[in-house]
C-alpha cells in the first residue's frame, strides 16, 4: 500500500482509508482464546496555504474526536 504524500488530494486519502479500514475489519485480533475486531478512528485535515502546523494539528485533532464521537471505524475530514 502506498503511503500518503504531501499534496495528496482528499479523495485519494479517503480511498486509502476506506481500503485500510476494510482490511482491518477482515483481520480479527486473536489473544488469549478470544477474538476481537480491529477498528480505528481517524481525523483528516487538508492543509490550506495559510495554515500553521498548530492550526493544522488542531483541525485534525478536532476531526479525530468527532470521528470517535460518531462511533467505531470512522474518519472525519475537518
Amino acid at each position: 500500500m502506498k503511503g500518503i504524500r504531501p499534496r495528496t488530494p482528499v479523495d485519494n486519502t479517503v480511498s486509502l482509508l476506506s481500503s485500510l479500514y476494510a482490511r482491518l475489519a477482515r483481520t480479527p485480533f486473536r489473544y488469549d482464546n478470544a477474538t476481537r475486531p480491529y477498528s480505528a478512528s481517524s481525523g483528516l485535515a487538508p492543509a490550506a496555504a495559510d495554515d500553521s502546523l498548530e492550526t493544522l494539528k488542531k483541525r485534525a485533532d478536532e476531526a479525530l474526536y468527532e470521528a470517535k464521537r460518531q462511533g467505531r471505524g470512522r474518519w472525519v475530514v475537518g
Side-chain angles (χ1 to χ4, degrees):
M1 197 177 294
K2 293 182 181 180
I4 298 172
R5 296 182 189 90
R7 301 178 199 266
T8 299
V10 172
D11 290 345
N12 291 14
T13 306
V14 167
S15 177
L16 178 66
L17 277 176
S18 181
S19 296
L20 178 62
Y21 280 37
R23 186 178 226 175
L24 283 173
R26 293 189 310 265
T27 309
F29 175 69
R30 292 179 181 86
Y31 177 75
D32 200 23
N33 295 321
T35 301
R36 302 274 189 243
Y38 281 113
S39 69
S41 298
S42 299
L44 304 175
D50 61 342
D51 274 329
S52 68
L53 182 56
E54 288 303 314
T55 60
L56 188 59
K57 286 173 28 179
K58 183 177 187 299
R59 280 201 338 272
D61 193 47
E62 289 169 353
L64 171 61
Y65 281 98
E66 177 59 23
K68 288 181 176 195
R69 188 190 70 72
Q70 290 181 20
R72 295 180 173 267
R74 307 221 181 226
W75 63 84
V76 169
V77 178

